[in-house]
Amino acid sequence: MVLTTKEGKLTVERDIVRTKTSDFSPILQFEQDPVQILDALLPLYLNSQVLRALQESLASELAARMTAMSNATENASELKKNLSILYNRQRQAKITGEILEIVAGANAQI
């Protein structure tokens, strides 16, 4: 039995399963009426579809968070590198300026 949709309506397709052993009947038989079986299976099917959609939504949200955190980490690393370079250049310029002042003062005394 396969539960499918055709033209927006749920239908049940029956397949005959043949087995090599003689223990099983080639026709699948149910004791209940097909309507009762469908009434029992339909809520389970719908619940499973809603649960699957919620799980996919949660997985998608977690994947987006992981991607955002990864990008933030990469950006922070790059910002740290750029700020370190900028700080070192300014410190080097200040040291060079102080050395030039000392040398200019020494030359003025001579």
Side-chain angles (χ1 to χ4, degrees):
M1 259 184 149
V2 179
L3 182 64
T4 61
T5 57
K6 289 184 180 177
E7 299 175 6
K9 297 180 181 178
L10 290 174
T11 61
V12 176
E13 294 180 4
R14 295 184 181 134
D15 294 331
I16 296 176
V17 178
R18 307 228 185 250
T19 60
K20 295 179 182 178
T21 62
S22 61
D23 296 341
F24 296 103
S25 171
I27 300 174
L28 187 60
Q29 295 180 358
F30 291 99
E31 292 180 3
Q32 292 94 357
D33 183 42
V35 174
Q36 288 177 330
I37 295 172
L38 186 60
D39 286 344
L41 290 178
L42 189 58
L44 295 174
Y45 175 75
L46 293 176
N47 285 340
S48 69
Q49 290 299 316
V50 169
L51 180 61
R52 182 175 146 255
L54 290 173
Q55 288 172 338
E56 286 181 2
S57 173
L58 180 61
S60 174
E61 178 187 355
L62 292 176
R65 284 184 185 192
M66 288 175 59
T67 302
M69 291 305 294
S70 177
N71 289 340
T73 301
E74 290 175 10
N75 290 341
S77 297
E78 186 176 338
L79 182 62
K80 179 183 173 186
K81 178 183 164 188
N82 290 341
L83 289 176
S84 293
I85 290 172
L86 181 63
Y87 172 76
N88 288 337
R89 283 184 183 165
Q90 289 178 350
R91 187 180 61 160
Q92 184 179 4
K94 184 177 180 183
I95 292 171
T96 303
E98 289 177 1
I99 291 174
L100 287 175
E101 288 175 9
I102 293 171
V103 169
N107 285 339
Q109 291 182 352
I110 301 181

mmCIF file of all heavy atoms in Angstrom, residues 42-95:
data_model
loop_
_atom_site.group_PDB
_atom_site.id
_atom_site.type_symbol
_atom_site.label_atom_id
_atom_site.label_comp_id
_atom_site.label_asym_id
_atom_site.label_seq_id
_atom_site.Cartn_x
_atom_site.Cartn_y
_atom_site.Cartn_z
ATOM 1 N N LEU A 42 -3.599 9.171 8.244
ATOM 2 C CA LEU A 42 -3.501 10.563 7.819
ATOM 3 C C LEU A 42 -3.009 11.493 8.923
ATOM 4 O O LEU A 42 -2.097 12.289 8.680
ATOM 5 C CB LEU A 42 -4.837 11.033 7.247
ATOM 6 C CG LEU A 42 -4.830 12.399 6.578
ATOM 7 C CD1 LEU A 42 -3.831 12.431 5.431
ATOM 8 C CD2 LEU A 42 -6.221 12.739 6.069
ATOM 9 N N PRO A 43 -3.541 11.437 10.156
ATOM 10 C CA PRO A 43 -3.004 12.305 11.206
ATOM 11 C C PRO A 43 -1.528 12.022 11.509
ATOM 12 O O PRO A 43 -0.747 12.950 11.752
ATOM 13 C CB PRO A 43 -3.872 12.006 12.428
ATOM 14 C CG PRO A 43 -5.126 11.439 11.882
ATOM 15 C CD PRO A 43 -4.733 10.732 10.625
ATOM 16 N N LEU A 44 -1.152 10.741 11.468
ATOM 17 C CA LEU A 44 0.261 10.394 11.699
ATOM 18 C C LEU A 44 1.147 10.980 10.601
ATOM 19 O O LEU A 44 2.231 11.496 10.865
ATOM 20 C CB LEU A 44 0.429 8.876 11.761
ATOM 21 C CG LEU A 44 -0.251 8.169 12.928
ATOM 22 C CD1 LEU A 44 -0.124 6.664 12.777
ATOM 23 C CD2 LEU A 44 0.354 8.637 14.247
ATOM 24 N N TYR A 45 0.671 10.890 9.375
ATOM 25 C CA TYR A 45 1.420 11.432 8.238
ATOM 26 C C TYR A 45 1.561 12.948 8.358
ATOM 27 O O TYR A 45 2.650 13.497 8.181
ATOM 28 C CB TYR A 45 0.730 11.051 6.923
ATOM 29 C CG TYR A 45 1.358 11.659 5.707
ATOM 30 C CD1 TYR A 45 2.550 11.181 5.210
ATOM 31 C CD2 TYR A 45 0.757 12.740 5.060
ATOM 32 C CE1 TYR A 45 3.141 11.747 4.093
ATOM 33 C CE2 TYR A 45 1.324 13.306 3.948
ATOM 34 C CZ TYR A 45 2.526 12.811 3.466
ATOM 35 O OH TYR A 45 3.111 13.377 2.371
ATOM 36 N N LEU A 46 0.466 13.615 8.654
ATOM 37 C CA LEU A 46 0.511 15.071 8.795
ATOM 38 C C LEU A 46 1.408 15.496 9.952
ATOM 39 O O LEU A 46 2.184 16.451 9.838
ATOM 40 C CB LEU A 46 -0.898 15.636 8.961
ATOM 41 C CG LEU A 46 -1.809 15.510 7.737
ATOM 42 C CD1 LEU A 46 -3.200 16.028 8.067
ATOM 43 C CD2 LEU A 46 -1.225 16.253 6.553
ATOM 44 N N ASN A 47 1.321 14.779 11.088
ATOM 45 C CA ASN A 47 2.191 15.083 12.221
ATOM 46 C C ASN A 47 3.656 14.909 11.857
ATOM 47 O O ASN A 47 4.508 15.724 12.232
ATOM 48 C CB ASN A 47 1.849 14.197 13.420
ATOM 49 C CG ASN A 47 0.581 14.627 14.108
ATOM 50 O OD1 ASN A 47 0.132 15.757 13.954
ATOM 51 N ND2 ASN A 47 -0.010 13.722 14.872
ATOM 52 N N SER A 48 3.963 13.856 11.104
ATOM 53 C CA SER A 48 5.359 13.637 10.716
ATOM 54 C C SER A 48 5.841 14.727 9.769
ATOM 55 O O SER A 48 6.994 15.152 9.836
ATOM 56 C CB SER A 48 5.533 12.256 10.087
ATOM 57 O OG SER A 48 4.893 12.198 8.826
ATOM 58 N N GLN A 49 4.974 15.209 8.888
ATOM 59 C CA GLN A 49 5.362 16.276 7.967
ATOM 60 C C GLN A 49 5.605 17.586 8.717
ATOM 61 O O GLN A 49 6.557 18.315 8.419
ATOM 62 C CB GLN A 49 4.281 16.474 6.894
ATOM 63 C CG GLN A 49 4.196 15.337 5.914
ATOM 64 C CD GLN A 49 5.479 15.141 5.144
ATOM 65 O OE1 GLN A 49 6.100 16.086 4.669
ATOM 66 N NE2 GLN A 49 5.912 13.897 5.043
ATOM 67 N N VAL A 50 4.751 17.893 9.697
ATOM 68 C CA VAL A 50 4.944 19.113 10.498
ATOM 69 C C VAL A 50 6.226 19.002 11.306
ATOM 70 O O VAL A 50 7.018 19.952 11.379
ATOM 71 C CB VAL A 50 3.719 19.355 11.419
ATOM 72 C CG1 VAL A 50 4.004 20.444 12.430
ATOM 73 C CG2 VAL A 50 2.502 19.702 10.580
ATOM 74 N N LEU A 51 6.463 17.840 11.916
ATOM 75 C CA LEU A 51 7.682 17.635 12.683
ATOM 76 C C LEU A 51 8.911 17.771 11.800
ATOM 77 O O LEU A 51 9.896 18.406 12.193
ATOM 78 C CB LEU A 51 7.659 16.255 13.348
ATOM 79 C CG LEU A 51 8.883 15.892 14.183
ATOM 80 C CD1 LEU A 51 9.045 16.875 15.343
ATOM 81 C CD2 LEU A 51 8.778 14.473 14.692
ATOM 82 N N ARG A 52 8.868 17.208 10.605
ATOM 83 C CA ARG A 52 9.991 17.316 9.675
ATOM 84 C C ARG A 52 10.244 18.771 9.295
ATOM 85 O O ARG A 52 11.395 19.227 9.243
ATOM 86 C CB ARG A 52 9.704 16.492 8.418
ATOM 87 C CG ARG A 52 10.838 16.499 7.427
ATOM 88 C CD ARG A 52 10.529 15.565 6.256
ATOM 89 N NE ARG A 52 11.106 16.146 5.075
ATOM 90 C CZ ARG A 52 10.439 16.754 4.111
ATOM 91 N NH1 ARG A 52 9.135 16.832 4.167
ATOM 92 N NH2 ARG A 52 11.044 17.273 3.090
ATOM 93 N N ALA A 53 9.184 19.536 9.056
ATOM 94 C CA ALA A 53 9.343 20.948 8.706
ATOM 95 C C ALA A 53 9.962 21.723 9.864
ATOM 96 O O ALA A 53 10.845 22.571 9.659
ATOM 97 C CB ALA A 53 7.996 21.554 8.326
ATOM 98 N N LEU A 54 9.526 21.426 11.090
ATOM 99 C CA LEU A 54 10.105 22.107 12.257
ATOM 100 C C LEU A 54 11.571 21.735 12.441
ATOM 101 O O LEU A 54 12.404 22.594 12.757
ATOM 102 C CB LEU A 54 9.302 21.759 13.512
ATOM 103 C CG LEU A 54 7.895 22.339 13.589
ATOM 104 C CD1 LEU A 54 7.155 21.786 14.802
ATOM 105 C CD2 LEU A 54 7.930 23.858 13.629
ATOM 106 N N GLN A 55 11.906 20.481 12.237
ATOM 107 C CA GLN A 55 13.302 20.056 12.366
ATOM 108 C C GLN A 55 14.178 20.704 11.301
ATOM 109 O O GLN A 55 15.294 21.131 11.585
ATOM 110 C CB GLN A 55 13.397 18.531 12.282
ATOM 111 C CG GLN A 55 12.854 17.826 13.508
ATOM 112 C CD GLN A 55 12.786 16.327 13.337
ATOM 113 O OE1 GLN A 55 12.755 15.807 12.216
ATOM 114 N NE2 GLN A 55 12.760 15.620 14.452
ATOM 115 N N GLU A 56 13.683 20.790 10.079
ATOM 116 C CA GLU A 56 14.441 21.444 9.014
ATOM 117 C C GLU A 56 14.616 22.928 9.314
ATOM 118 O O GLU A 56 15.671 23.504 9.044
ATOM 119 C CB GLU A 56 13.754 21.247 7.672
ATOM 120 C CG GLU A 56 13.900 19.858 7.117
ATOM 121 C CD GLU A 56 13.233 19.689 5.769
ATOM 122 O OE1 GLU A 56 12.672 20.678 5.238
ATOM 123 O OE2 GLU A 56 13.260 18.565 5.249
ATOM 124 N N SER A 57 13.591 23.555 9.864
ATOM 125 C CA SER A 57 13.680 24.963 10.231
ATOM 126 C C SER A 57 14.735 25.179 11.302
ATOM 127 O O SER A 57 15.549 26.107 11.216
ATOM 128 C CB SER A 57 12.315 25.457 10.719
ATOM 129 O OG SER A 57 12.411 26.762 11.222
ATOM 130 N N LEU A 58 14.738 24.335 12.313
ATOM 131 C CA LEU A 58 15.726 24.444 13.379
ATOM 132 C C LEU A 58 17.135 24.203 12.843
ATOM 133 O O LEU A 58 18.070 24.933 13.177
ATOM 134 C CB LEU A 58 15.404 23.451 14.501
ATOM 135 C CG LEU A 58 16.351 23.458 15.696
ATOM 136 C CD1 LEU A 58 16.347 24.827 16.374
ATOM 137 C CD2 LEU A 58 15.976 22.376 16.677
ATOM 138 N N ALA A 59 17.283 23.193 12.004
ATOM 139 C CA ALA A 59 18.596 22.911 11.419
ATOM 140 C C ALA A 59 19.073 24.078 10.564
ATOM 141 O O ALA A 59 20.253 24.448 10.595
ATOM 142 C CB ALA A 59 18.536 21.634 10.582
ATOM 143 N N SER A 60 18.166 24.683 9.816
ATOM 144 C CA SER A 60 18.516 25.834 8.985
ATOM 145 C C SER A 60 18.952 27.017 9.846
ATOM 146 O O SER A 60 19.932 27.710 9.531
ATOM 147 C CB SER A 60 17.321 26.227 8.119
ATOM 148 O OG SER A 60 17.577 27.408 7.426
ATOM 149 N N GLU A 61 18.232 27.255 10.947
ATOM 150 C CA GLU A 61 18.589 28.358 11.848
ATOM 151 C C GLU A 61 19.967 28.119 12.464
ATOM 152 O O GLU A 61 20.798 29.045 12.522
ATOM 153 C CB GLU A 61 17.552 28.487 12.952
ATOM 154 C CG GLU A 61 17.873 29.585 13.953
ATOM 155 C CD GLU A 61 16.937 29.597 15.146
ATOM 156 O OE1 GLU A 61 15.973 28.827 15.171
ATOM 157 O OE2 GLU A 61 17.198 30.393 16.061
ATOM 158 N N LEU A 62 20.230 26.903 12.901
ATOM 159 C CA LEU A 62 21.532 26.606 13.503
ATOM 160 C C LEU A 62 22.658 26.731 12.479
ATOM 161 O O LEU A 62 23.740 27.222 12.797
ATOM 162 C CB LEU A 62 21.519 25.209 14.121
ATOM 163 C CG LEU A 62 20.623 25.047 15.344
ATOM 164 C CD1 LEU A 62 20.606 23.596 15.811
ATOM 165 C CD2 LEU A 62 21.065 25.959 16.471
ATOM 166 N N ALA A 63 22.412 26.310 11.250
ATOM 167 C CA ALA A 63 23.422 26.453 10.195
ATOM 168 C C ALA A 63 23.701 27.922 9.914
ATOM 169 O O ALA A 63 24.860 28.326 9.729
ATOM 170 C CB ALA A 63 22.964 25.742 8.924
ATOM 171 N N ALA A 64 22.654 28.741 9.897
ATOM 172 C CA ALA A 64 22.840 30.182 9.663
ATOM 173 C C ALA A 64 23.626 30.815 10.807
ATOM 174 O O ALA A 64 24.492 31.664 10.585
ATOM 175 C CB ALA A 64 21.480 30.871 9.510
ATOM 176 N N ARG A 65 23.341 30.392 12.035
ATOM 177 C CA ARG A 65 24.095 30.920 13.185
ATOM 178 C C ARG A 65 25.565 30.529 13.105
ATOM 179 O O ARG A 65 26.456 31.333 13.374
ATOM 180 C CB ARG A 65 23.505 30.394 14.490
ATOM 181 C CG ARG A 65 22.221 31.057 14.891
ATOM 182 C CD ARG A 65 21.766 30.546 16.230
ATOM 183 N NE ARG A 65 20.467 31.098 16.576
ATOM 184 C CZ ARG A 65 19.951 31.009 17.775
ATOM 185 N NH1 ARG A 65 20.588 30.389 18.745
ATOM 186 N NH2 ARG A 65 18.769 31.536 18.023
ATOM 187 N N MET A 66 25.810 29.269 12.738
ATOM 188 C CA MET A 66 27.199 28.819 12.626
ATOM 189 C C MET A 66 27.945 29.605 11.556
ATOM 190 O O MET A 66 29.103 30.000 11.750
ATOM 191 C CB MET A 66 27.239 27.320 12.311
ATOM 192 C CG MET A 66 26.855 26.444 13.477
ATOM 193 S SD MET A 66 26.767 24.686 13.067
ATOM 194 C CE MET A 66 28.428 24.376 12.493
ATOM 195 N N THR A 67 27.302 29.847 10.440
ATOM 196 C CA THR A 67 27.923 30.614 9.362
ATOM 197 C C THR A 67 28.198 32.046 9.805
ATOM 198 O O THR A 67 29.277 32.591 9.539
ATOM 199 C CB THR A 67 27.011 30.612 8.117
ATOM 200 O OG1 THR A 67 26.778 29.263 7.724
ATOM 201 C CG2 THR A 67 27.641 31.369 6.975
ATOM 202 N N ALA A 68 27.242 32.650 10.499
ATOM 203 C CA ALA A 68 27.426 34.023 10.981
ATOM 204 C C ALA A 68 28.571 34.110 11.984
ATOM 205 O O ALA A 68 29.392 35.037 11.928
ATOM 206 C CB ALA A 68 26.131 34.533 11.619
ATOM 207 N N MET A 69 28.649 33.147 12.891
ATOM 208 C CA MET A 69 29.734 33.163 13.880
ATOM 209 C C MET A 69 31.084 32.924 13.217
ATOM 210 O O MET A 69 32.091 33.519 13.602
ATOM 211 C CB MET A 69 29.475 32.109 14.968
ATOM 212 C CG MET A 69 28.299 32.449 15.857
ATOM 213 S SD MET A 69 28.418 34.075 16.645
ATOM 214 C CE MET A 69 29.806 33.819 17.709
ATOM 215 N N SER A 70 31.125 32.060 12.227
ATOM 216 C CA SER A 70 32.368 31.819 11.493
ATOM 217 C C SER A 70 32.830 33.088 10.780
ATOM 218 O O SER A 70 34.007 33.459 10.829
ATOM 219 C CB SER A 70 32.170 30.688 10.490
ATOM 220 O OG SER A 70 33.325 30.490 9.720
ATOM 221 N N ASN A 71 31.889 33.771 10.129
ATOM 222 C CA ASN A 71 32.228 35.031 9.451
ATOM 223 C C ASN A 71 32.674 36.096 10.446
ATOM 224 O O ASN A 71 33.605 36.855 10.181
ATOM 225 C CB ASN A 71 31.033 35.539 8.646
ATOM 226 C CG ASN A 71 30.758 34.685 7.430
ATOM 227 O OD1 ASN A 71 31.624 33.956 6.958
ATOM 228 N ND2 ASN A 71 29.541 34.745 6.933
ATOM 229 N N ALA A 72 32.018 36.159 11.600
ATOM 230 C CA ALA A 72 32.398 37.136 12.618
ATOM 231 C C ALA A 72 33.802 36.849 13.143
ATOM 232 O O ALA A 72 34.595 37.777 13.365
ATOM 233 C CB ALA A 72 31.391 37.117 13.768
ATOM 234 N N THR A 73 34.139 35.589 13.331
ATOM 235 C CA THR A 73 35.480 35.221 13.794
ATOM 236 C C THR A 73 36.534 35.612 12.768
ATOM 237 O O THR A 73 37.585 36.162 13.117
ATOM 238 C CB THR A 73 35.542 33.704 14.070
ATOM 239 O OG1 THR A 73 34.569 33.379 15.057
ATOM 240 C CG2 THR A 73 36.912 33.283 14.547
ATOM 241 N N GLU A 74 36.261 35.332 11.501
ATOM 242 C CA GLU A 74 37.205 35.709 10.442
ATOM 243 C C GLU A 74 37.373 37.224 10.367
ATOM 244 O O GLU A 74 38.496 37.730 10.228
ATOM 245 C CB GLU A 74 36.729 35.166 9.097
ATOM 246 C CG GLU A 74 36.831 33.662 8.978
ATOM 247 C CD GLU A 74 36.240 33.138 7.683
ATOM 248 O OE1 GLU A 74 35.916 33.950 6.779
ATOM 249 O OE2 GLU A 74 36.089 31.910 7.577
ATOM 250 N N ASN A 75 36.275 37.970 10.466
ATOM 251 C CA ASN A 75 36.350 39.429 10.425
ATOM 252 C C ASN A 75 37.107 39.979 11.621
ATOM 253 O O ASN A 75 37.887 40.935 11.487
ATOM 254 C CB ASN A 75 34.948 40.035 10.368
ATOM 255 C CG ASN A 75 34.267 39.795 9.040
ATOM 256 O OD1 ASN A 75 34.913 39.500 8.041
ATOM 257 N ND2 ASN A 75 32.952 39.885 9.027
ATOM 258 N N ALA A 76 36.903 39.401 12.797
ATOM 259 C CA ALA A 76 37.609 39.860 13.996
ATOM 260 C C ALA A 76 39.109 39.595 13.863
ATOM 261 O O ALA A 76 39.928 40.436 14.254
ATOM 262 C CB ALA A 76 37.049 39.176 15.237
ATOM 263 N N SER A 77 39.472 38.453 13.319
ATOM 264 C CA SER A 77 40.896 38.140 13.114
ATOM 265 C C SER A 77 41.535 39.130 12.141
ATOM 266 O O SER A 77 42.657 39.609 12.369
ATOM 267 C CB SER A 77 41.063 36.715 12.596
ATOM 268 O OG SER A 77 40.610 35.784 13.535
ATOM 269 N N GLU A 78 40.837 39.434 11.071
ATOM 270 C CA GLU A 78 41.364 40.386 10.088
ATOM 271 C C GLU A 78 41.464 41.790 10.687
ATOM 272 O O GLU A 78 42.451 42.500 10.464
ATOM 273 C CB GLU A 78 40.463 40.402 8.852
ATOM 274 C CG GLU A 78 41.006 41.257 7.719
ATOM 275 C CD GLU A 78 40.151 41.172 6.472
ATOM 276 O OE1 GLU A 78 39.405 40.188 6.323
ATOM 277 O OE2 GLU A 78 40.230 42.116 5.662
ATOM 278 N N LEU A 79 40.461 42.192 11.465
ATOM 279 C CA LEU A 79 40.491 43.504 12.115
ATOM 280 C C LEU A 79 41.644 43.589 13.103
ATOM 281 O O LEU A 79 42.349 44.607 13.159
ATOM 282 C CB LEU A 79 39.159 43.756 12.834
ATOM 283 C CG LEU A 79 39.011 45.106 13.532
ATOM 284 C CD1 LEU A 79 39.097 46.243 12.526
ATOM 285 C CD2 LEU A 79 37.691 45.149 14.284
ATOM 286 N N LYS A 80 41.879 42.531 13.859
ATOM 287 C CA LYS A 80 42.994 42.506 14.811
ATOM 288 C C LYS A 80 44.322 42.656 14.074
ATOM 289 O O LYS A 80 45.200 43.413 14.508
ATOM 290 C CB LYS A 80 42.974 41.188 15.594
ATOM 291 C CG LYS A 80 44.103 41.048 16.577
ATOM 292 C CD LYS A 80 44.058 39.706 17.256
ATOM 293 C CE LYS A 80 45.298 39.491 18.121
ATOM 294 N NZ LYS A 80 45.347 38.144 18.672
ATOM 295 N N LYS A 81 44.468 41.960 12.973
ATOM 296 C CA LYS A 81 45.704 42.048 12.185
ATOM 297 C C LYS A 81 45.913 43.469 11.661
ATOM 298 O O LYS A 81 47.004 44.043 11.773
ATOM 299 C CB LYS A 81 45.622 41.055 11.019
ATOM 300 C CG LYS A 81 46.805 41.078 10.098
ATOM 301 C CD LYS A 81 46.572 40.104 8.950
ATOM 302 C CE LYS A 81 47.534 40.386 7.822
ATOM 303 N NZ LYS A 81 47.216 39.603 6.627
ATOM 304 N N ASN A 82 44.844 44.064 11.107
ATOM 305 C CA ASN A 82 44.956 45.421 10.560
ATOM 306 C C ASN A 82 45.258 46.448 11.647
ATOM 307 O O ASN A 82 46.064 47.371 11.446
ATOM 308 C CB ASN A 82 43.677 45.804 9.819
ATOM 309 C CG ASN A 82 43.497 45.022 8.533
ATOM 310 O OD1 ASN A 82 44.449 44.455 7.997
ATOM 311 N ND2 ASN A 82 42.277 44.942 8.049
ATOM 312 N N LEU A 83 44.616 46.314 12.817
ATOM 313 C CA LEU A 83 44.872 47.255 13.908
ATOM 314 C C LEU A 83 46.282 47.104 14.466
ATOM 315 O O LEU A 83 46.917 48.098 14.842
ATOM 316 C CB LEU A 83 43.837 47.068 15.024
ATOM 317 C CG LEU A 83 42.428 47.545 14.696
ATOM 318 C CD1 LEU A 83 41.474 47.212 15.846
ATOM 319 C CD2 LEU A 83 42.407 49.035 14.405
ATOM 320 N N SER A 84 46.794 45.880 14.517
ATOM 321 C CA SER A 84 48.167 45.659 14.978
ATOM 322 C C SER A 84 49.165 46.324 14.032
ATOM 323 O O SER A 84 50.123 46.964 14.481
ATOM 324 C CB SER A 84 48.478 44.166 15.075
ATOM 325 O OG SER A 84 47.713 43.568 16.086
ATOM 326 N N ILE A 85 48.929 46.183 12.739
ATOM 327 C CA ILE A 85 49.813 46.819 11.753
ATOM 328 C C ILE A 85 49.757 48.342 11.901
ATOM 329 O O ILE A 85 50.800 49.017 11.906
ATOM 330 C CB ILE A 85 49.438 46.381 10.319
ATOM 331 C CG1 ILE A 85 49.799 44.911 10.115
ATOM 332 C CG2 ILE A 85 50.121 47.252 9.281
ATOM 333 C CD1 ILE A 85 49.294 44.327 8.808
ATOM 334 N N LEU A 86 48.555 48.900 12.043
ATOM 335 C CA LEU A 86 48.397 50.342 12.195
ATOM 336 C C LEU A 86 49.076 50.833 13.473
ATOM 337 O O LEU A 86 49.808 51.837 13.454
ATOM 338 C CB LEU A 86 46.916 50.710 12.214
ATOM 339 C CG LEU A 86 46.568 52.200 12.343
ATOM 340 C CD1 LEU A 86 47.087 52.964 11.132
ATOM 341 C CD2 LEU A 86 45.074 52.370 12.479
ATOM 342 N N TYR A 87 48.869 50.127 14.594
ATOM 343 C CA TYR A 87 49.495 50.503 15.862
ATOM 344 C C TYR A 87 51.011 50.449 15.754
ATOM 345 O O TYR A 87 51.705 51.363 16.209
ATOM 346 C CB TYR A 87 49.018 49.567 16.977
ATOM 347 C CG TYR A 87 49.752 49.766 18.273
ATOM 348 C CD1 TYR A 87 49.470 50.853 19.082
ATOM 349 C CD2 TYR A 87 50.731 48.860 18.683
ATOM 350 C CE1 TYR A 87 50.138 51.041 20.277
ATOM 351 C CE2 TYR A 87 51.417 49.043 19.867
ATOM 352 C CZ TYR A 87 51.113 50.134 20.667
ATOM 353 O OH TYR A 87 51.795 50.324 21.839
ATOM 354 N N ASN A 88 51.570 49.418 15.141
ATOM 355 C CA ASN A 88 53.022 49.288 15.001
ATOM 356 C C ASN A 88 53.601 50.387 14.116
ATOM 357 O O ASN A 88 54.693 50.909 14.395
ATOM 358 C CB ASN A 88 53.393 47.908 14.458
ATOM 359 C CG ASN A 88 53.203 46.817 15.480
ATOM 360 O OD1 ASN A 88 53.212 47.062 16.687
ATOM 361 N ND2 ASN A 88 53.015 45.585 15.009
ATOM 362 N N ARG A 89 52.890 50.775 13.065
ATOM 363 C CA ARG A 89 53.367 51.861 12.195
ATOM 364 C C ARG A 89 53.397 53.187 12.945
ATOM 365 O O ARG A 89 54.355 53.965 12.829
ATOM 366 C CB ARG A 89 52.478 51.981 10.961
ATOM 367 C CG ARG A 89 52.744 50.913 9.936
ATOM 368 C CD ARG A 89 51.925 51.125 8.685
ATOM 369 N NE ARG A 89 52.158 50.038 7.741
ATOM 370 C CZ ARG A 89 51.405 49.785 6.698
ATOM 371 N NH1 ARG A 89 50.354 50.551 6.456
ATOM 372 N NH2 ARG A 89 51.687 48.789 5.898
ATOM 373 N N GLN A 90 52.348 53.465 13.730
ATOM 374 C CA GLN A 90 52.317 54.713 14.496
ATOM 375 C C GLN A 90 53.406 54.714 15.569
ATOM 376 O O GLN A 90 54.060 55.736 15.801
ATOM 377 C CB GLN A 90 50.941 54.913 15.133
ATOM 378 C CG GLN A 90 49.866 55.254 14.128
ATOM 379 C CD GLN A 90 48.495 55.409 14.765
ATOM 380 O OE1 GLN A 90 48.316 55.073 15.934
ATOM 381 N NE2 GLN A 90 47.536 55.894 13.994
ATOM 382 N N ARG A 91 53.612 53.584 16.226
ATOM 383 C CA ARG A 91 54.661 53.497 17.246
ATOM 384 C C ARG A 91 56.030 53.686 16.607
ATOM 385 O O ARG A 91 56.887 54.403 17.126
ATOM 386 C CB ARG A 91 54.590 52.139 17.933
ATOM 387 C CG ARG A 91 55.537 52.018 19.117
ATOM 388 C CD ARG A 91 55.418 50.676 19.736
ATOM 389 N NE ARG A 91 55.801 49.701 18.706
ATOM 390 C CZ ARG A 91 56.179 48.457 18.945
ATOM 391 N NH1 ARG A 91 56.177 48.001 20.164
ATOM 392 N NH2 ARG A 91 56.522 47.651 17.980
ATOM 393 N N GLN A 92 56.233 53.083 15.448
ATOM 394 C CA GLN A 92 57.507 53.230 14.744
ATOM 395 C C GLN A 92 57.720 54.678 14.311
ATOM 396 O O GLN A 92 58.831 55.218 14.424
ATOM 397 C CB GLN A 92 57.542 52.303 13.537
ATOM 398 C CG GLN A 92 58.871 52.304 12.788
ATOM 399 C CD GLN A 92 58.858 51.343 11.606
ATOM 400 O OE1 GLN A 92 57.844 50.732 11.310
ATOM 401 N NE2 GLN A 92 59.997 51.226 10.953
ATOM 402 N N ALA A 93 56.660 55.345 13.846
ATOM 403 C CA ALA A 93 56.785 56.752 13.430
ATOM 404 C C ALA A 93 57.122 57.634 14.632
ATOM 405 O O ALA A 93 57.954 58.557 14.527
ATOM 406 C CB ALA A 93 55.487 57.220 12.774
ATOM 407 N N LYS A 94 56.536 57.357 15.790
ATOM 408 C CA LYS A 94 56.821 58.146 16.991
ATOM 409 C C LYS A 94 58.269 57.944 17.434
ATOM 410 O O LYS A 94 58.971 58.908 17.775
ATOM 411 C CB LYS A 94 55.874 57.745 18.117
ATOM 412 C CG LYS A 94 56.043 58.577 19.367
ATOM 413 C CD LYS A 94 55.028 58.182 20.417
ATOM 414 C CE LYS A 94 55.220 59.039 21.663
ATOM 415 N NZ LYS A 94 54.302 58.654 22.724
ATOM 416 N N ILE A 95 58.743 56.715 17.421
ATOM 417 C CA ILE A 95 60.134 56.428 17.800
ATOM 418 C C ILE A 95 61.091 57.097 16.832
ATOM 419 O O ILE A 95 62.101 57.702 17.244
ATOM 420 C CB ILE A 95 60.376 54.900 17.858
ATOM 421 C CG1 ILE A 95 59.590 54.281 19.013
ATOM 422 C CG2 ILE A 95 61.862 54.576 17.990
ATOM 423 C CD1 ILE A 95 59.581 52.776 19.020
#
